[in-house]
Amino acid sequence: MTDEQGKTPAQQLRVGVFGARGRMGIEVCKAVDAADDLALTAAVDQGDSRSAVSTAEVVVDFTTPDVVMDNLRWSIEQGISAVVGTTGFTEQRLEQVRGWLADKPEVGVVIAPNFGIGAVLMMQFAARAARHFESVEIIEQHHPRKLDAPSGTATHTARQIARARAEAGLGPVPDATKDEVPGARGADIEGVRVHAVRATGLVAHQEVLFGGTGETLTIRHDSYDRVSFMPGVLLAVRAVRNRPGLTVGLDALLD
Ligand SMILES: NC(=O)C1=CN([C@@H]2O[C@H](COP(=O)(O)OP(=O)(O)OC[C@H]3O[C@@H](n4cnc5c(N)ncnc54)[C@H](O)[C@@H]3O)[C@@H](O)[C@H]2O)C=CC1
Ligand SMILES: O=C(O)C1=N[C@H](C(=O)O)C[C@H](O)C1
């Protein structure tokens, strides 16, 4: 017995989506629907009952930072593994998720600040370059409907760079600024300056600018279309139930 797409239901992984009517949620629903091995069993947005997701084996969350923790706690309690792209994950939030997972050891959660394969590589390259340059700044550029600044990707990149600098024994980034219009030097994320640009026409873009004596290195990634995130999302959907506990970032899944 097959459905309209020729899928055999018994073999398909049942997937629910939170934030299904959002920019990312719409793409995720399309991608899941188009995959032979996946079945979209629930598409839930604000105001819909979450119970529609309770028969899913994996839930994907692209909502907002203020609701994602509640969705995640509920999913873990239901024993449903989760793939989360929503931003706003501080170390305290990650610790809270680990606490919930301790009571449900069979459940897997993947939280990734960016599911674009190129973006993941950009962050890895930046972390690798960090120890070789005394200066570094991050410039992220996004569509103007984005709620958070700086982006989750930029925050994650800054933290990785800060860790690499500390391990290499690098001191603070040189900066003689004494007189500053507030915000002119960007946000300070663990000692790394991050500048957030918002403009119509942009989707999701990031540059990491390194400076050393007589040279600069720029590592840049551009997402021109939200379909760029889908291979990473589907990779995580297929893998998450085999990775009990919390996985942060897509790096381990790519390896
Ligand atoms: N990790 C990644 O690769 C990516 C992450 N993002 C992040 O994903 C999040 C969503 O981004 P967009 O889709 O652009 O935003 P959006 O605003 O278009 O979509 C969010 C959706 O969540 C819905 N929503 C709000 N409360 C809800 C609730 N309690 N239950 C279910 N749905 C609810 C909203 O109604 C809306 O439809 C943001 O945090 C963004 O930064 C975006 C792109 C890629
Ligand atoms: O809101 C977005 O659009 C994006 N959000 C994520 C982030 O904050 O890093 C990922 C990507 O940059 C797109």
Side-chain angles (χ1 to χ4, degrees):
M1 173 114 164
T2 60
D3 67 9
E4 316 83 66
Q5 279 128 359
K7 297 177 177 181
T8 51
Q11 294 158 2
Q12 292 171 321
L13 185 64
R14 296 189 302 278
V15 182
V17 177
F18 284 138
R21 292 194 288 276
R23 287 175 288 272
M24 283 297 289
I26 289 170
E27 288 302 331
V28 174
C29 290
K30 280 197 274 186
V32 169
D33 227 17
D36 286 344
D37 58 331
L38 308 177
L40 181 66
T41 55
V44 169
D45 205 279
Q46 195 166 23
D48 301 338
S49 166
R50 261 193 310 220
S51 61
V53 173
S54 45
T55 58
E57 294 161 287
V58 175
V59 65
V60 180
D61 189 301
F62 281 95
T63 57
T64 58
D66 56 330
V67 303
V68 63
M69 289 299 276
D70 194 43
N71 283 343
L72 197 43
R73 184 181 44 76
W74 179 87
S75 305
I76 294 169
E77 277 171 10
Q78 305 290 309
I80 304 170
S81 292
V83 171
V84 181
T86 310
T87 45
F89 280 89
T90 57
E91 197 42 56
Q92 290 92 316
R93 281 188 168 203
L94 294 175
E95 221 22 71
Q96 197 164 11
V97 175
R98 287 187 191 100
W100 295 333
L101 283 167
D103 297 332
K104 290 277 181 182
E106 76 286 2
V107 175
V109 172
V110 173
I111 299 175
N114 200 311
F115 283 97
I117 308 294
V120 175
L121 292 172
M122 174 266 294
M123 289 187 270
Q124 291 181 0
F125 297 157
R128 181 158 177 218
R131 68 194 306 276
H132 300 288
F133 294 90
E134 66 172 3
S135 291
V136 57
E137 306 229 346
I138 298 174
I139 305 101
E140 58 96 326
Q141 305 184 344
H142 282 83
H143 59 94
R145 294 168 79 184
K146 184 166 177 55
L147 298 179
D148 54 321
S151 71
T153 306
T155 303
H156 188 74
T157 313
R159 289 186 185 135
Q160 285 183 316
I161 289 171
R163 188 176 316 133
R165 288 178 67 90
E167 280 169 12
L170 290 180
V173 172
D175 181 2
T177 309
K178 262 190 174 169
D179 188 8
E180 182 192 355
V181 173
R185 293 288 295 112
D188 181 334
I189 308 276
E190 298 188 18
V192 179
R193 291 284 165 179
V194 181
H195 310 270
V197 177
R198 298 289 176 264
T200 300
L202 296 175
V203 177
H205 317 260
Q206 179 165 299
E207 261 181 41
V208 186
L209 171 66
F210 292 100
T213 308
E215 63 172 342
T216 62
L217 168 68
T218 303
I219 302 174
R220 182 177 174 108
H221 176 261
D222 297 274
S223 273
Y224 298 108
D225 190 307
R226 290 181 181 83
V227 296
S228 62
F229 302 111
M230 293 309 120
V233 171
L234 296 191
L235 177 70
V237 165
R238 291 176 177 124
V240 64
R241 292 198 317 150
N242 296 325
R243 303 185 63 87
L246 176 62
T247 303
V248 179
L250 213 57
D251 309 67
L253 280 73
L254 286 180
D255 293 342

